[in-house]
Amino acid sequence: MLPEVKKILYASDIDKGSRPAFRAAVSLCGHYNSEITFLHVLEPLSSSAQSIVDTMMNDESLHELHDQSIINVSNKLKERVSRFCETELEENEMLTDAQVHARVEEGTPWKTILSVADDIDADVIVMGTRTHSAMGQFLLGSTANKVMHNSKRPVLIVPLS
């Protein structure tokens, strides 16, 4: 017997072309009548970029800009989910506000995805991956690859174009 899937973590870079992965998460959600946490991870600035920003802005302005950026990305996620529902879902597939939660976190993407999966006790992680050269995958690795190899829960990887 297959395990129940009540909590789905959908991790996205929110770039164009990531809809197929969200579609897979929505399909799982509909099949199991579960909930989706839509996660976007913001990577921290490099130390040199952070130094430049620090010299240009005072701490108060920087914190205000940071907080506003988090709110803007969260609103973008909510708008994206709403637009997806309007354009791609049938009436019987509609997601409720209780089924989809937008979450924005900061950190190293693959580590943050695993941490949030633990935090919400996700039953499955759904994410997309774009094709990269074999050499690029070997040298850098991809976020999806790192999540897949370090996760203690199932990971559904959806190829993106």
Side-chain angles (χ1 to χ4, degrees):
M1 182 167 160
L2 293 174
E4 285 291 308
V5 176
K6 291 296 177 194
K7 294 183 181 179
I8 300 164
L9 175 60
Y10 169 65
S12 175
D13 59 8
I14 62 175
D15 279 347
K16 290 182 179 179
S18 59
R19 279 185 175 224
F22 188 57
R23 178 48 121 158
V26 168
S27 179
L28 277 174
C29 182
H31 182 75
Y32 288 102
N33 193 26
S34 52
E35 62 184 55
I36 299 172
T37 298
F38 190 138
L39 173 67
H40 178 67
V41 181
L42 298 171
E43 292 188 67
L45 292 175
S46 67
S47 57
S48 57
Q50 186 64 50
S51 293
I52 292 169
V53 171
D54 288 343
T55 60
M56 298 174 96
M57 301 180 79
N58 64 35
D59 283 346
E60 186 177 320
S61 297
L62 188 58
H63 290 299
E64 189 176 306
L65 182 63
H66 173 269
D67 293 346
Q68 188 59 47
S69 296
I70 298 293
I71 291 167
N72 289 343
V73 172
S74 182
N75 288 338
K76 185 177 182 178
L77 292 180
K78 290 173 187 171
E79 287 173 24
R80 185 176 182 156
V81 169
S82 179
R83 202 168 43 248
F84 178 88
C85 289
E86 289 172 7
T87 60
E88 294 200 22
L89 297 183
E90 300 293 325
E91 196 170 308
N92 62 341
E93 293 180 298
M94 283 301 187
L95 298 170
T96 66
D97 288 341
Q99 285 180 287
V100 182
H101 313 281
R103 186 164 172 172
V104 179
E105 297 287 335
E106 294 176 89
T108 305
W110 72 271
K111 290 179 181 177
T112 304
I113 292 166
L114 294 176
S115 175
V116 170
D118 287 342
D119 184 46
I120 68 169
D121 194 24
D123 297 302
V124 64
I125 300 170
V126 178
M127 57 192 307
T129 187
R130 289 177 178 77
T131 54
H132 299 287
S133 69
M135 183 56 91
Q137 290 254 342
F138 175 74
L139 292 175
L140 300 174
S142 69
T143 299
N145 199 16
K146 289 177 182 175
V147 167
M148 185 175 61
H149 283 94
N150 291 284
S151 180
K152 60 186 177 192
R153 52 189 36 89
V155 181
L156 174 60
I157 306 292
V158 179
L160 306 174
S161 34

